[in-house]
């Protein structure tokens, strides 16, 4: 098979390394890719949102499977564009990717189908939202921009004043652009968070092994929210009992709800869950693999990922047995100093072996560039240093050992991945 991966982060590098394990691969391309990806696949300089160029490239290069990994091109209909051109593509169509692209859509879906989630109100007008907050003394609460905002459009507010300011920031100052035309104000929930990615063909849903993301920039969950500073798999809070409850009350009902709405979801559906004192509830859906969840989940996948892609696209997932390694994994993200706010790019990196010079570790590249035999930083999250181990402690020790052998000026990483709630 000739394959085109679309995206440029650590998630895409993890997908590429997994695809390379398949005996079915002939040529593997990635657009636009990154420095590390360029060592494993042929990188193609096409911007991630350029549907026309992607489709033309796929036609010219006899692509058998296009894999659309990031949220923006999915929401913009890149899978639809490939299908219209007769090219098989992995990922939801735009009418299903909306489950991530609009929080108003996803909250209303959950309400309509009785899927457990935080109580909420929707507003399209800041004055009404502010009046509602004051009348209901609605704190603590969470104010969310409706649309895609790079994971940043969610503001946790301890007081009504904070919430009023959050509404103004999103709806009046338009800090997150048009994604803040509508907002959701939610009840504040507590409990450990769990990420469960799943494969679904629109009818059958097969959850992958669970994971836990560490979203805050600094140790002890301090600092700003980021795209994710590290992950472990499995998630210790995701017991068999909770997994069963999630399957019955959340995963199957969501996939059935999307089908009923005429928006069958095919691809990877990501359930962001909180295990509250009243049971598991959905915090968010994503229409794609998580980043850096993919970096810990995919190394545990033992079934050929291309067979899974075929089963998802052909609606035959029920017939496929998907196997997972029982070995835990851990991923530590090395970021540029200053991330998630401003940071420098183009800094030379050292110690860049493929396995971080540690047996059982893999260095997934997120924001890197490769030139003249050297790697340079090229983004906020730079690397996802991942390891497998007989135990979680073992995996963490190996990941941190590899992190210790890599250096670049300003490098920042959390030292407590796998250790906090
Ligand atoms: P989201 O982008 O919706 O996943 O939100 C980002 C993060 O904000 C989540 O991972 C949670 O840590 C937090 N969060 C979102 N919604 C809530 C909520 N209703 N209650 C408590 N925390 C939340
Ligand atoms: N790590 C969270 C996400 O991919 O949305």
């Amino acid at each position: 098979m000739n394959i085109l991966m679309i995206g440029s982060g650590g998630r895409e590098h993890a997908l590429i390394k997994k695809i390379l394990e398949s005996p079915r691969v002939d040529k593997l391309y990635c657009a636009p890719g990154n420095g590390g990806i360029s060592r494993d696949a042929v990188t193609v300089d096409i911007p991630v949102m350029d549907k026309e160029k992607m489709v033309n490239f796929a036609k010219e290069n006899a692509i058998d499977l296009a894999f659309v990994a990031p949220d923006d091109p999915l929401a913009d209909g890149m899978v639809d564009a490939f299908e219209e051109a007769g090219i098989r593509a992995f990922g939801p169509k735009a009418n299903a990717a909306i489950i991530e692209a609009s929080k108003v859509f996803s909250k209303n879906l959950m309400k309509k189908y009785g899927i457990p989630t935080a109580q909420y109100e929707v507003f399209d007008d800041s004055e009404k939202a502010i009046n509602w907050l004051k009348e209901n003394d609605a704190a603590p609460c969470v104010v969310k921009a409706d649309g895609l905002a790079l994971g940043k459009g969610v503001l946790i507010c301890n007081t009504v004043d904070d919430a009023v300011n959050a509404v103004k920031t999103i709806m009046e100052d338009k800090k997150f652009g048009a994604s803040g035309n509508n907002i959701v104000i939610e009840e504040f929930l507590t409990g450990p968070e769990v990420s469960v990615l799943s494969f679904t063909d629109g009818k059958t849903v097969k959850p992958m092994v669970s994971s836990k993301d560490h979203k805050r920039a600094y140790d002890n969950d301090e600092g700003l929210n980021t795209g994710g500073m590290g992950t472990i798999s499995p998630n210790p809070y995701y017991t068999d009992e909770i997994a069963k409850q999630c399957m019955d009350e959340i995963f199957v009902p969501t996939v059935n709800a999307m089908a009923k709405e005429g928006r069958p979801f095919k691809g990877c559906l990501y359930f962001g869950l909180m295990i509250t004192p009243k049971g598991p509830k959905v915090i968010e859906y994503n229409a794609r693999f998580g980043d850096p969840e993919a970096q810990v989940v995919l190394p545990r996948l033992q079934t050929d990922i291309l067979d899974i892609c075929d089963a998802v696209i052909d609606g035959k997932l029920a017939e496929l047995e998907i196997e997972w390694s029982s070995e835990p994994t851990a991923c530590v993200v090395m970021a540029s100093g200053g991330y998630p706010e401003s940071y420098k790019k183009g800094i030379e990196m050292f110690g860049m072996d493929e396995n971080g010079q540690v047996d059982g570790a893999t260095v997934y590249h997120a924001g890197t560039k490769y030139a003249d035999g050297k790697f340079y930083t090229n983004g906020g999250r730079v690397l996802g240093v991942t390891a497998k181990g007989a135990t979680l402690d073992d995996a963490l020790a190996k990941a941190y050992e590899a992190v210790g052998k890599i250096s670049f000026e300003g490098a920042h990483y959390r030292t407590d991945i796998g250790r906090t709630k």
Side-chain angles (χ1 to χ4, degrees):
M1 284 169 82
N2 295 331
I3 295 160
L4 173 61
M5 175 65 57
I6 289 133
S8 62
R11 162 185 58 205
E12 287 77 4
H13 200 190
L15 284 163
I16 278 177
K17 290 224 185 256
K18 183 50 62 175
I19 289 170
L20 285 173
E21 288 174 15
S22 170
R24 300 177 62 195
V25 184
D26 190 5
K27 287 214 173 105
L28 179 55
Y29 300 91
C30 184
N34 63 38
I37 290 174
S38 74
R39 314 301 296 149
D40 288 320
V42 178
T43 48
V44 186
D45 194 12
I46 302 175
V48 85
M49 294 298 285
D50 195 330
K51 288 185 281 205
E52 197 181 323
K53 278 197 181 147
M54 288 289 183
V55 169
N56 284 340
F57 177 87
K59 281 188 192 156
E60 283 158 16
N61 292 276
I63 294 297
D64 300 297
L65 174 71
F67 196 117
V68 187
D71 49 1
D72 283 319
L74 287 168
D76 192 46
M78 192 170 278
V79 167
D80 309 56
F82 279 120
E83 285 187 4
E84 278 155 28
I87 294 157
R88 286 162 71 80
F90 181 93
K93 291 190 188 185
N95 75 349
I98 192 172
I99 199 167
E100 170 173 9
S102 168
K103 291 195 191 284
V104 173
F105 172 86
S106 69
K107 294 298 288 191
N108 290 342
L109 183 87
M110 287 186 269
K111 188 189 253 177
K112 181 168 172 189
Y113 291 90
I115 296 164
T117 189
Q119 304 267 354
Y120 71 101
E121 297 287 329
V122 174
F123 296 96
D124 60 5
D125 178 275
S126 65
E127 209 179 296
K128 281 188 201 147
I130 289 169
N131 287 340
W132 181 87
L133 282 167
K134 290 183 177 163
E135 277 161 22
N136 291 278
D137 197 18
C141 69
V142 186
V143 181
K144 300 184 173 185
D146 173 46
L148 298 174
L150 297 171
K152 292 176 189 163
V154 173
L155 302 172
I156 294 180
C157 306
N158 291 320
T159 64
V160 171
D161 279 351
D162 287 353
V164 167
N165 286 332
V167 169
K168 287 183 180 162
T169 303
I170 296 176
M171 300 195 91
E172 293 174 10
D173 307 345
K174 292 272 188 267
K175 177 137 186 232
F176 309 105
S179 75
N181 290 347
N182 295 294
I183 57 165
V184 173
I185 302 181
E186 273 186 17
E187 161 199 19
F188 177 77
L189 298 176
T190 55
E193 288 182 54
V194 180
S195 305
V196 180
L197 320 185
S198 70
F199 292 109
T200 168
D201 61 2
K203 301 173 291 190
T204 300
V205 56
K206 299 222 166 169
M208 305 184 209
V209 288
S210 65
S211 55
K212 168 166 179 51
D213 186 15
H214 295 70
K215 286 205 166 107
R216 300 294 199 97
Y218 300 112
D219 281 10
N220 300 317
D221 290 330
E222 283 168 16
L224 293 173
N225 252 333
T226 69
M229 291 299 292
T231 35
I232 54 170
S233 175
N235 185 315
Y237 295 97
Y238 195 65
T239 60
D240 288 349
E241 193 191 340
I242 287 175
K244 177 160 190 329
Q245 202 179 349
C246 289
M247 189 70 183
D248 295 344
E249 295 175 12
I250 296 175
F251 306 160
V252 171
T254 300
V255 167
N256 288 344
M258 290 298 280
K260 258 207 174 138
E261 294 292 309
R263 301 169 181 274
F265 190 105
K266 290 183 167 202
C268 171
L269 180 54
Y270 166 136
F271 300 90
L273 307 168
M274 194 174 267
I275 314 300
T276 76
K278 290 188 186 156
K281 296 194 180 188
V282 176
I283 290 283
E284 65 161 348
Y285 294 112
N286 290 326
R288 51 172 176 86
F289 279 85
D291 187 339
E293 283 89 344
Q295 290 88 317
V296 285
V297 169
L298 289 170
R300 299 184 59 198
L301 176 60
Q302 291 179 322
T303 304
D304 188 326
I305 192 169
L306 297 180
D307 292 346
I308 301 176
C309 291
D310 279 345
V312 164
I313 294 168
D314 295 330
K316 293 187 172 163
L317 197 55
E319 296 164 30
L320 189 72
E321 193 67 39
I322 300 179
E323 287 182 36
W324 300 92
S325 151
S326 60
E327 278 189 319
T329 44
C331 170
V332 179
V333 168
M334 296 183 77
S336 298
Y339 173 78
E341 297 187 284
S342 64
Y343 51 82
K344 283 195 227 161
K345 288 185 187 178
I347 297 170
E348 190 177 345
M349 304 172 70
F350 302 95
M352 294 295 295
D353 285 34
E354 218 177 323
N355 67 352
Q357 306 163 62
V358 175
D359 212 25
T362 307
V363 179
Y364 296 119
H365 288 234
T368 68
K369 233 184 178 159
Y370 185 73
D372 306 326
K374 290 180 184 166
F375 288 104
Y376 298 87
T377 66
N378 194 38
R381 291 188 293 177
V382 178
L383 301 173
V385 182
T386 299
K388 260 189 190 180
T391 61
L392 175 62
D393 282 345
D394 192 25
L396 283 164
K398 278 188 200 165
Y400 276 112
E401 187 188 345
V403 164
K405 299 199 174 187
I406 296 168
S407 61
F408 56 90
E409 190 198 312
H412 161 66
Y413 57 88
R414 280 182 60 161
T415 65
D416 63 350
I417 298 305
R419 302 280 176 234
T420 62
K421 246 185 156 186

